[in-house]
Amino acid sequence: TFRAPPRPIDLMHIDCDWHESVVFCLEAAKEHLRVGGTVLVDDYNDYKGCKAAVDAFLAANERSFSMVASLPHAILQRMQ
């Protein structure tokens, strides 16, 4: 489950190995991340499903999110 936070999120750490759980976390929280906020995706380089979920999210949200680093973990930043 995901409950909306009481204020915007500055930093989110996603430590989910599987595609569906990463998709859920990114989609559930994307509107709550502050512009300029950062998402660290722990297992981006370790699990194919995690990488596929992040890559698809970035492709679908290319105006709002960018990847600023991919090693050792994926680091995404909300741009708008």
Side-chain angles (χ1 to χ4, degrees):
T1 61
F2 181 83
R3 189 177 316 190
R7 58 190 162 277
I9 298 169
D10 291 313
L11 174 64
M12 173 187 283
H13 177 209
I14 298 176
D15 190 5
C16 302
D17 306 340
W18 308 113
H19 182 271
E20 292 80 13
S21 55
V22 174
V23 168
F24 175 81
C25 290
L26 289 169
E27 290 297 328
K30 74 179 179 182
E31 297 302 321
H32 301 288
L33 190 71
R34 183 185 314 272
V35 173
T38 302
V39 179
L40 184 141
V41 185
D42 194 79
D43 296 306
Y44 181 77
N45 294 297
D46 299 319
Y47 293 95
K48 288 186 231 180
C50 178
K51 183 179 187 324
V54 171
D55 292 347
F57 175 82
L58 288 171
N61 295 280
E62 63 184 25
R63 293 184 179 189
S64 300
F65 285 85
S66 67
M67 184 179 295
V68 296
S70 62
L71 291 172
H73 309 291
I75 299 175
L76 315 180
Q77 187 168 41
R78 183 169 180 193
M79 301 177 301
Q80 60 176 353

